Amino acid sequence: MRKIMLATTAAVLLAMAASASAQEKVFRYSTTGDILGLDPHNNNEGPTNTMKSNIFGRLIHRTGDLSLEPDLATEWTAKSDTVWEFKLRPDVTFHNGNPFTADDVVYSFKRQTQEASDMAFALSSVKDVRKVDDLTIEIETDGPDPTLLLNMPNFYIVDQEFMEENDAFEVVKGAGFQNFANTHPNGTGPYKLVEWVQDNRVVVEPFEQHWDYANRESNIDRAVFTPIGNDATRVAAILSGEIDLMYPVPLQDIARLEADPNVDVLQGPELRTIFLGFDQWRDELMDMPGSGKNPFKDQKVREAFAHAIDTKAIQRVVMRGASTPTGLMIAPGINGFPEEMNIPYEYDPEKSKQLLEEAGYADGFPVTLDCPNDRYVNDEAICTAIVPMLERIGIKVNLNAQTKSLHFNKIGAAENNNTSFYMLGWTPGSYDAYNVLQNIMTMDGEGHGAWNSGRYSNPDVERLTDEIAVTIDEDERNDLIRQAFKIHYDEVGHLPLHQQALAWGVRNDTVESVVQRPFNDVDLREVVMK
Amino acid sequence: MLAFIIQRLAQSILVMLVVGLISFSLFQFVGDPVNNMVGQEATIEQREALREKLGLNDPIPVRFIKWVGLAVQGDFGLSYRMGMPVADLIAQRLPATLELVALSAVMALAIGVPMGVYTGLHRHAWLSKVFLTVSLIGISIPTFLIGILMILFFGVWLGWLPTFGRRGLVDLGGWETSFLTLEGWSYIIMPAFTLALFQLTLIMRLVRAEMLEVLRTDFIKFARARGLKSRSINFGHALKNTLVPVITIMGLQIGSLLAFSIITETVFQWPGMGLLIIQGIQFVDIPIMSSYLVLIALFFVVINLIVDLLYYAVDPRLRVERTAGGAH
């Protein structure tokens, strides 16, 4: 046994020495879970979308600072309020060698907007995509759409010829037949897939015929993405130098990683806003059967909650400083963010008690707080901290923390918003305020209020939202956004808590530079190794 | 003997059906897979359409019967999370787990039995005391903590062994093995030892206790009186008589090795069945969960069958009784 151990050890040391002397620059990185699939039109999930955008081209690319830059489109102009013309980049090829033309864009539009596609939302306002000539297309929207360009980085271009050859038009999810496109990505992006062993590794290499290969910023020869679910294992893997970058760093391990001279911890704000919501539509609170009353319909009660929760204490104690308390439903960096309005509700339990008394609930009332325990950073701990804060003003909180599958089911449409008081986090997929207004802050109209689990509904906010949807002028639009958020803030439609901080661990002995994007993912275009 | 095996296998089908039914009735408490399958922007209508397509709106018995109907034809469905046939996924992952469990079992036996014999024979030697103390640690520290401590020690501080994953594989016609390269060994040794430690200490203590008991019996005394060599007494007679309980326990423990491998695989990111099922549970991947549970049930049945057969090999009395019974 001992001999085997010794032999193994020696072999490993040799292997390590060999890999150190190799000149190939391999970037190895890790996060908690594997990508869901490589069919660009199938899933809509952060890490999956990032890997897709390494492999697939889009008309427009979103860089690390959230600005837009040309990818497959070289220029674009609005021909009218509802028609945009895009000039396409010439001499672009897909990974299999097929040329990229306007037909591929038209085909991709049709494929991405079928019902089973999770990415259909990005093109929901688009009526038609037309080919003008081989290198020009027109996009027509249903009405004026100020967020069209913002959604373009989510419009993935596939190769029509390749997809048709393999009969892969249909987006398939879970049931029925296997999805060919999920395991055979063929895009125009800067990286091409070498192998994907599910739950094990995704390996990509630079695509040498990429249109921008000569000017590429990154110098890596290969990138290996490995999901590591266990926090401690992920921390150990970066400390031992087996991976070059990993995220998220568990909050309690930030100091440990910073103490290592070879590891840097990059921190920055994320775009996701964590907030609490109140049931504002049932006539009777579920925790008060027989009373015929729903306290959350009273603005004073919601204000009392807002002033009772000490977001700074949560930041300091629960989040160990790694969060930004907020008063708004969107984060800095989101299009339309009204900076001057971002004031967290003041912590003032005395005022809360007074407000409750005025509302007729001097003795408080019972309520259940629904909370996920495996979705956001320290989600359950935040809820646990909120319980005594509310008890201080007389609210008897029953905490119901459970796994995300159950939590989202309970508060979502599947169980008819079976919640009175809940936690949720949201990053607008289009990086625009309208997305939050549409999904979280309004109830009227088709596609509205999908995650407005407390069914907050204010006709003024809803009217403003409809205007925001079709207002092109930026100043005017931002003013409308400001008005909508002001109403929502004043009547505490939801109670925003904070944006959680991103924390990445990066080996500084192998990685020269990397851009930490606020949507918490690694764009391989921007990774430079030593 | 053949009739006995066939009878056991027939029983196993019943066991698997019951396990399948119980697991199906439990799945409704795990949550709704649809929210995990679609993105946050998916509309309520899209969600409902998917739920209908997956058959999640059907009552549990209907879903179970449909699933069994397809399973007997060898179709275990597609994983919700990965969109690949469950049978392929399990076939892909099974070698990793079986190799891990096999190596752990071998380690547990190869180290545990000699240690047990030694501590049984030399009760007061200082080495016995060391073994017993170490075994106390092995039995009382949970697997995941041992795994993490090993990673910290051998992976981070000493930098001898890789901290996660499974590499250095050689493909033997569909079965990827770790055992043919040194790199493969370097990846498997820590998780296998982590998994083995508890069993190892258990076996050591069991063998020790059995040895102490057997050594006191009359036939050992007579053997000594007859002047047999002590090596022959200790290993040929004493150890052999301790083996029946060891085999029983080891059989049961291989089942729990499979089960415990979930934790070890999570800690070492070992791409086996355990990792598959734990991620399946988090995602509410019903086809994966049901197939896994039924497969594990099958393993338990087969292991118990093998244990029963081993009794015959080890204990001649059973063979005699069986033939005697047959003569009537």
Side-chain angles (χ1 to χ4, degrees):
Chain A
M1 201 67 231
R2 191 171 296 163
K3 265 185 191 157
I4 294 175
M5 288 286 264
L6 280 175
T8 313
T9 312
V12 173
L13 288 174
L14 277 176
M16 282 178 158
S19 69
S21 67
Q23 290 302 303
E24 199 183 37
K25 289 186 167 56
V26 182
F27 176 66
R28 299 151 306 170
Y29 64 118
S30 175
T31 185
T32 50
D34 197 10
I35 56 170
L36 294 176
L38 288 169
D39 180 340
H41 304 142
N42 194 342
N43 302 296
N44 173 30
E45 187 238 11
T48 308
N49 288 353
T50 316
M51 188 51 81
K52 287 185 324 202
S53 66
N54 288 323
I55 294 172
F56 288 91
R58 284 78 39 80
L59 296 180
I60 301 175
H61 176 64
R62 190 189 297 277
T63 60
D65 61 7
L66 301 183
S67 61
L68 301 177
E69 69 173 27
D71 183 0
L72 291 176
T74 48
E75 52 186 291
W76 46 88
T77 44
K79 299 188 84 176
S80 73
D81 270 1
T82 56
V83 178
W84 284 77
E85 186 183 85
F86 289 79
K87 289 280 182 206
L88 304 180
R89 193 177 295 280
D91 303 324
V92 172
T93 57
F94 286 94
H95 295 167
N96 67 352
N98 285 350
F100 159 73
T101 66
D103 291 323
D104 297 316
V105 182
V106 175
Y107 179 83
S108 301
F109 163 71
K110 288 189 188 132
R111 191 168 190 276
Q112 182 160 340
T113 46
Q114 58 189 297
E115 200 202 8
S117 165
D118 267 4
M119 297 306 293
F121 78 93
L123 299 170
S124 59
S125 68
V126 178
K127 190 171 167 189
D128 197 15
V129 176
R130 284 186 297 268
K131 172 182 176 178
V132 177
D133 60 51
D134 268 356
L135 292 176
T136 316
I137 56 144
E138 273 181 1
I139 296 185
E140 184 181 353
T141 53
D142 288 326
D145 180 9
T147 61
L148 179 72
L149 294 181
L150 296 173
N151 275 318
M152 282 298 110
N154 283 325
F155 177 26
Y156 294 89
I157 307 298
V158 295
D159 179 11
Q160 177 177 12
E161 200 185 320
F162 175 78
M163 299 303 268
E164 284 181 347
E165 264 168 28
N166 293 295
D167 198 18
F169 176 78
E170 206 184 328
V171 171
V172 188
K173 202 185 282 296
F177 298 101
Q178 234 187 112
N179 188 348
F180 173 84
N182 226 13
T183 43
H184 298 80
N186 176 35
T188 65
Y191 291 87
K192 60 178 197 284
L193 183 73
V194 176
E195 64 168 345
W196 174 30
V197 185
Q198 277 168 327
D199 292 331
N200 202 333
R201 60 188 178 274
V202 183
V203 183
V204 296
E205 279 175 3
F207 174 50
E208 291 179 6
Q209 283 80 44
H210 183 245
W211 57 269
D212 203 24
Y213 184 75
N215 304 319
R216 71 188 195 127
E217 193 183 316
S218 169
N219 63 351
I220 58 179
D221 297 314
R222 191 144 40 96
V224 181
F225 168 78
T226 314
I228 304 181
N230 187 293
D231 282 347
T233 312
R234 210 163 53 247
V235 170
I238 194 153
L239 286 172
S240 68
E242 279 170 85
I243 51 176
D244 304 305
L245 184 151
M246 71 88 163
Y247 65 95
V249 179
L251 296 182
Q252 67 274 17
D253 288 322
I254 288 177
R256 169 91 176 83
L257 288 191
E258 275 173 342
D260 189 305
N262 292 323
V263 179
D264 290 337
V265 178
L266 297 182
Q267 282 184 277
E270 198 190 9
L271 292 179
R272 173 178 286 125
T273 301
I274 307 291
F275 59 88
L276 301 174
F278 314 101
D279 173 9
Q280 290 161 68
W281 62 285
R282 283 190 183 86
D283 288 326
E284 184 179 275
L285 197 70
M286 285 190 292
D287 293 285
M288 297 165 67
S291 68
K293 284 198 274 191
N294 180 353
F296 288 133
K297 280 181 178 282
D298 189 335
Q299 181 180 328
K300 285 198 167 121
V301 173
R302 299 198 300 269
E303 280 181 44
F305 272 55
H307 292 297
I309 293 174
D310 188 352
T311 50
K312 289 208 181 76
I314 293 175
Q315 178 203 27
R316 196 176 59 244
V317 180
V318 182
M319 301 299 286
R320 305 191 192 212
S323 71
T324 318
T326 182
L328 287 178
M329 296 294 286
I330 51 174
I334 300 291
N335 197 38
F337 175 73
E339 195 178 349
E340 74 285 354
M341 279 175 54
N342 187 20
I343 306 156
Y345 295 100
E346 194 191 348
Y347 175 60
D348 188 349
E350 290 311 312
K351 190 172 171 186
S352 294
K353 277 185 204 158
Q354 197 189 327
L355 283 162
L356 278 183
E357 202 176 317
E358 286 169 24
Y361 298 99
D363 298 329
F365 58 89
V367 66
T368 301
L369 172 56
D370 287 304
C371 200
N373 62 12
D374 53 2
R375 180 66 187 92
Y376 312 116
V377 178
N378 288 355
D379 39 15
E380 186 177 1
I382 296 168
C383 291
T384 310
I386 285 172
V387 171
M389 292 179 189
L390 291 174
E391 272 172 4
R392 195 170 303 161
I393 64 165
I395 308 295
K396 290 161 210 66
V397 185
N398 171 27
L399 177 58
N400 177 29
Q402 54 185 350
T403 181
K404 59 188 176 192
S405 309
L406 292 169
H407 174 74
F408 290 132
N409 213 32
K410 184 166 190 268
I411 73 167
E415 284 189 29
N416 198 22
N417 304 129
N418 180 20
T419 183
S420 306
F421 186 35
Y422 62 93
M423 173 190 259
L424 186 63
W426 193 264
T427 313
S430 60
Y431 307 106
D432 182 81
Y434 175 71
N435 177 289
V436 179
L437 287 162
Q438 182 195 17
N439 283 296
I440 311 272
M441 292 159 70
T442 53
M443 280 312 292
D444 67 321
E446 197 187 334
H448 282 251
W451 284 101
N452 187 356
S453 297
R455 306 200 189 176
Y456 164 77
S457 172
N458 179 312
D460 291 330
V461 175
E462 282 162 358
R463 179 183 51 77
L464 286 163
T465 302
D466 293 340
E467 277 181 53
I468 291 163
V470 295
T471 304
I472 300 282
D473 182 84
E474 201 178 331
D475 291 333
E476 196 185 330
R477 189 166 184 271
N478 283 345
D479 189 54
L480 294 170
I481 292 173
R482 207 170 287 130
Q483 289 177 38
F485 276 86
K486 178 91 173 72
I487 298 170
H488 181 270
Y489 180 88
D490 286 344
E491 61 180 15
V492 199
H494 296 79
L495 176 48
L497 295 175
H498 59 233
Q499 280 96 35
Q500 58 197 31
L502 304 177
W504 293 11
V506 184
R507 294 288 300 188
N508 56 25
D509 51 353
T510 53
V511 179
E512 177 74 40
S513 70
V514 62
V515 174
Q516 185 178 40
R517 307 204 292 182
F519 26 109
N520 206 17
D521 62 9
V522 182
D523 186 350
L524 293 176
R525 292 170 182 81
E526 296 173 305
V527 176
V528 182
M529 298 196 73
K530 283 186 176 154
Chain B
M1 180 64 83
L2 191 66
F4 172 71
I5 294 175
I6 291 170
Q7 186 196 350
R8 273 307 187 85
L9 288 177
Q11 284 170 359
S12 75
I13 292 173
L14 189 68
V15 171
M16 289 194 292
L17 276 177
V18 172
V19 168
L21 185 61
I22 293 173
S23 53
F24 253 84
S25 41
L26 288 176
F27 291 154
Q28 54 182 320
F29 302 108
V30 192
D32 185 356
V34 171
N35 281 325
N36 296 318
M37 293 174 74
V38 301
Q40 63 172 13
E41 252 93 4
T43 61
I44 293 163
E45 292 75 28
Q46 275 181 320
R47 286 164 204 273
E48 195 40 53
L50 182 59
R51 194 169 285 121
E52 189 62 44
K53 195 173 150 208
L54 295 176
L56 294 175
N57 290 334
D58 297 340
I60 300 280
V62 175
R63 283 163 58 191
F64 178 66
I65 290 165
K66 272 188 189 165
W67 181 78
V68 171
L70 287 170
V72 293
Q73 301 167 36
D75 180 0
F76 292 90
L78 289 179
S79 155
Y80 291 168
R81 183 165 68 97
M82 300 189 276
M84 283 179 50
V86 172
D88 290 3
L89 286 169
I90 289 182
Q92 199 182 25
R93 305 301 186 84
L94 202 54
T97 295
L98 289 184
E99 287 192 350
L100 185 66
V101 168
L103 184 60
S104 301
V106 169
M107 276 181 167
L109 284 173
I111 305 174
V113 172
M115 276 168 80
V117 172
Y118 181 85
T119 49
L121 293 176
H122 309 279
R123 277 200 292 167
H124 302 294
W126 64 271
L127 196 56
S128 292
K129 285 175 184 150
V130 172
F131 284 167
L132 283 174
T133 314
V134 170
S135 79
L136 203 61
I137 296 173
I139 229 158
S140 51
I141 298 183
T143 318
F144 72 91
L145 189 60
I146 291 173
I148 288 179
L149 290 175
M150 298 230 329
I151 290 175
L152 185 67
F153 194 73
F154 292 106
V156 178
W157 288 348
L158 298 176
W160 287 358
L161 294 170
T163 56
F164 73 93
R166 180 174 189 247
R167 295 278 180 85
L169 304 177
V170 176
D171 195 344
L172 300 175
W175 180 289
E176 289 188 318
T177 178
S178 298
F179 296 143
L180 294 178
T181 62
L182 277 169
E183 195 193 6
W185 277 96
S186 75
Y187 279 91
I188 201 174
I189 199 96
M190 270 208 295
F193 187 74
T194 306
L195 192 55
L197 192 59
F198 179 82
Q199 324 296 334
L200 189 160
T201 50
L202 191 70
I203 287 174
M204 179 196 128
R205 286 177 165 258
L206 188 70
V207 170
R208 176 175 179 271
E210 290 287 327
M211 283 293 279
L212 289 176
E213 199 169 309
V214 172
L215 287 173
R216 277 199 297 269
T217 52
D218 291 342
F219 78 94
I220 296 290
K221 284 181 192 154
F222 283 123
R224 288 198 202 286
R226 279 166 58 201
L228 292 182
K229 281 189 191 143
S230 60
R231 168 190 282 227
S232 152
I233 295 172
N234 293 340
F235 292 94
H237 298 279
L239 179 61
K240 206 172 175 187
N241 276 286
T242 65
L243 283 185
V244 169
V246 172
I247 289 171
T248 313
I249 294 290
M250 201 56 208
L252 293 173
Q253 291 300 317
I254 286 184
S256 65
L257 279 176
L258 279 166
F260 272 121
S261 75
I262 292 182
I263 298 168
T264 311
E265 288 183 11
T266 311
V267 171
F268 288 94
Q269 194 67 26
W270 186 259
M273 301 266 296
L275 207 56
L276 186 69
I277 183 67
I278 202 85
Q279 282 161 344
I281 292 170
Q282 282 162 0
F283 198 88
V284 197
D285 199 337
I286 292 171
I288 292 269
M289 290 193 286
S290 40
S291 309
Y292 174 86
L293 289 172
V294 168
L295 188 66
I296 292 293
L298 176 67
F299 278 149
F300 267 90
V301 173
V302 170
I303 289 167
N304 281 331
L305 179 63
I306 293 173
V307 167
D308 284 346
L309 296 178
L310 277 178
Y311 287 163
Y312 284 89
V314 173
D315 192 340
R317 284 171 301 181
L318 290 173
R319 270 172 283 177
V320 173
E321 276 163 24
R322 185 100 190 154
T323 38
H328 282 284

